[in-house]
Amino acid sequence: MCRLEKRVEDCDHRDECELGMGFLKEGKVQKFKRSLVSKYGTKLWILRVTTTALIWISVVQLMAIGGTWGPRLLKDWPSCFIPADHSLAVQSSSIPTKVRLPPKRVYKNNGYLMVSCNGGLNQMRAAICDMVAIARYLNVTLIVPELDKSSFWADPSEFQDIFDVDHFISSLRDEVRILKDLPPRLKKRVELGMFYSLPPISWSNLSYYLDQVLPLARKYKVLHLTRTDTRLANNGVPLEIQKLRCRVNFNSLRFTPQIEELGRKAVRILREKGPFLVLHLRYEMDMLAFSGCSHGCNSEEVEELTRLRYAYPWWKEKVIDSEMKRREGFCPLTPEETALVLDALGIDRNVQIYIAAGEIYGGERRMETLSSSFRNLVRKETLLKPADLKFFQNHSSQMAALDYLVSLESDIFIPTYDGNMAKVVEGHRRFLGFKKTILLDRKLLVGLVDRYMNGSFGWDEFSSLVKEAHSLRMGSPKSRPLNIRSGDANAVGRALHNDGIGVHVIVGTQKPIGVKIFEVPVTGGYCK
């Protein structure tokens, strides 16, 4: 600027100099600019037109093959070639939602809790819910549970092979701290045997864990619970603990994406053919050996089941009267009894029936009556391709997870025995909106079946009695008593307000002198 101003000052009083230089500069610059615009403007215009044309050609080609590649490449694009509802459905399922994690709960850590679960998938599932609740109550850090690998099922699966471990940890961070493994320093202590191990007492209340288990965790820093089945009482525990159990079961224990996707595929195949019923036919070798139920088995099968029962020392009951157990309703229904009951209930003989079970003991011989009465029987092995199941073979817990997912989505769920899967699925279906679940009264049914088979009454009477007996056993809402001592009036109010459950209040301080009952129908159980 200074130089320019100086040169301009030098031209003062010499207008012709200034004008001459200005015209000279303007003429050359403008001519140069016009040449550049003329030269490069044309090229830029051609480039823009070419690029735009290529983009549109590419888009049209991609949309034309959208039926093949659309789900992968254009699943988030609105399209004239795809119906509006389809576009919205694909869009809603494909866009990942940002999950807002709950804030971490800050508490003084009283130690580290290791647990070794025992039993099948659903027994371990229920146990994990209990262990999370116990860890929360004791203010300890929970290590991701170890699954059973040595029981009858011999499944080598780890926790992360079945459940989404990252979701499990993050979804509960506002309740309890969960780690995938012990910190290195404590891991060395465990390797040196510097920890305490014990099997908790079955059906214990929280005072047992507070008075006897917590001091051990504080003293040894690492506590190992070697058995987890039914180690926490079902009733008589704080409402917050019950809700946490439900939260773990129905939200935090989510299966791996691979299992979830295969479960959705199985349900999709079934839905394409119409409604379907899931029959949890618990007539498998381990159940019959454990329960001692052998009705309908031949002598060789009875002997085989007895040998198996004696082979497992933790199955405590060895000498069992099978027929007496059956009459008392403690045995699973046989496939033959199940066929009669389904027919008596009025189940459509053409409906799809998905068998949620392992290998049926006795094979086709025992399934003949059921399969001849209901011809649309399917199993995961017949519904899905071998390639779909190849990674699940010899992993009974992962196969059971598929059955669990299909059972949740069925129009009707019918278990033939009230084992762990039956109870967990029934509860989950209640949580999902009281989906229809027929809970069979086995003690009544075996008596009716026997009388029908010996000719005491005809089919119409038999069917009428079966339907009448189960009219109120369809998974509808019902009251659940909750015992709360009279001093905790706030707990009563919270129970009534938050849960709408039936509440039994024991009146009195030292000795109960009366019971006041609030008859409130269940609307969501402990889990809302």
Side-chain angles (χ1 to χ4, degrees), residues 286-295 309 315-333 337 417-418 442-444 446-447 450:
D286 66 293
M287 171 51 63
L288 300 181
F290 171 76
S291 64
C293 299
S294 56
H295 182 75
R309 183 163 65 254
W315 291 353
K316 296 181 181 180
E317 196 175 6
K318 303 298 182 183
V319 180
I320 300 174
D321 186 335
S322 174
E323 288 304 313
M324 184 187 72
K325 247 193 160 180
R326 176 177 174 269
R327 289 193 298 270
E328 292 298 318
F330 297 137
C331 287
L333 294 182
E337 292 168 342
Y417 185 75
D418 57 351
R442 296 187 307 281
K443 183 176 181 179
L444 174 69
V446 295
D450 288 346

Side-chain angles (χ1 to χ4, degrees), residues 412-433:
I412 304 176
F413 175 66
I414 304 180
T416 61
Y417 185 75
D418 57 351
N420 291 296
M421 178 172 176
K423 291 175 180 176
V424 176
V425 170
E426 179 207 348
H428 206 151
R429 287 172 66 87
R430 285 180 181 272
F431 177 74
L432 294 174

Side-chain angles (χ1 to χ4, degrees), residues 17-54:
C17 176
E18 184 177 352
L19 291 173
M21 291 178 64
F23 280 119
L24 182 61
K25 283 193 249 183
E26 181 180 0
K28 290 183 178 180
V29 171
Q30 292 300 326
K31 186 177 181 180
F32 179 73
K33 286 183 177 180
R34 282 194 298 269
S35 65
L36 286 178
V37 170
S38 176
K39 182 178 180 180
Y40 293 103
T42 303
K43 291 184 178 180
L44 183 60
W45 181 83
I46 294 173
L47 181 61
R48 287 177 177 174
V49 171
T50 305
T51 304
T52 303
L54 288 173

Side-chain angles (χ1 to χ4, degrees), residues 274-289:
F276 68 95
L277 178 154
V278 167
L279 179 67
H280 181 40
L281 188 60
R282 192 69 169 97
Y283 202 77
E284 297 146 307
M285 186 177 188
D286 66 293
M287 171 51 63
L288 300 181

Side-chain angles (χ1 to χ4, degrees), residues 114-328:
M114 300 170 58
V115 295
S116 295
C117 299
N118 58 289
L121 172 67
N122 294 289
Q123 180 171 308
M124 292 190 291
R125 185 186 184 105
I128 292 169
C129 299
D130 290 347
M131 294 301 109
V132 170
I134 290 168
R136 168 64 175 82
Y137 185 73
L138 299 182
N139 284 335
V140 296
T141 297
L142 178 67
I143 306 303
V144 169
E146 178 189 17
L147 303 187
D148 191 343
K149 302 179 184 65
S150 59
S151 64
F152 173 84
W153 299 273
D155 188 336
S157 300
E158 301 288 353
F159 186 98
Q160 62 270 19
D161 297 325
I162 300 175
F163 299 108
D164 186 336
V165 64
D166 293 323
H167 174 74
F168 175 70
I169 293 172
S170 61
S171 66
L172 292 167
R173 54 186 266 159
D174 60 330
E175 293 285 357
V176 63
R177 184 184 180 213
I178 304 176
L179 300 178
K180 292 182 181 179
D181 208 347
L182 282 169
R185 177 179 58 86
L186 292 175
K187 188 183 293 186
K188 291 181 180 179
R189 288 171 58 94
V190 170
E191 292 171 355
L192 296 173
M194 300 172 63
F195 68 101
Y196 195 88
S197 181
L198 81 158
I201 297 175
S202 297
W203 305 112
S204 296
N205 56 27
L206 288 174
S207 62
Y208 163 78
Y209 288 95
L210 185 65
D211 299 335
Q212 299 189 41
V213 175
L214 180 57
L216 295 172
R218 286 173 171 165
K219 179 179 179 180
Y220 293 95
K221 303 303 179 186
V222 178
L223 183 64
H224 179 211
L225 303 184
T226 58
R227 296 187 71 82
T228 57
D229 57 313
T230 62
R231 303 296 151 159
L232 180 62
N234 282 338
N235 299 302
V237 297
L239 192 60
E240 289 75 14
I241 295 297
Q242 300 284 40
K243 287 186 175 183
L244 180 56
R245 280 167 142 175
C246 290
R247 178 180 170 185
V248 177
N249 194 23
F250 305 142
N251 176 267
S252 300
L253 283 177
R254 189 167 67 190
F255 294 121
T256 63
Q258 294 82 0
I259 295 176
E260 294 270 352
E261 177 57 33
L262 194 56
R264 284 191 293 269
K265 181 177 182 179
V267 171
R268 186 167 60 250
I269 294 172
L270 289 164
R271 284 279 175 230
E272 288 173 353
K273 299 179 180 179
F276 68 95
L277 178 154
V278 167
L279 179 67
H280 181 40
L281 188 60
R282 192 69 169 97
Y283 202 77
E284 297 146 307
M285 186 177 188
D286 66 293
M287 171 51 63
L288 300 181
F290 171 76
S291 64
C293 299
S294 56
H295 182 75
C297 297
N298 57 41
S299 56
E300 290 82 5
E301 291 171 335
V302 172
E303 185 177 345
E304 182 182 35
L305 294 172
T306 303
R307 286 198 305 269
L308 180 62
R309 183 163 65 254
Y310 277 89
Y312 288 90
W314 50 85
W315 291 353
K316 296 181 181 180
E317 196 175 6
K318 303 298 182 183
V319 180
I320 300 174
D321 186 335
S322 174
E323 288 304 313
M324 184 187 72
K325 247 193 160 180
R326 176 177 174 269
R327 289 193 298 270
E328 292 298 318

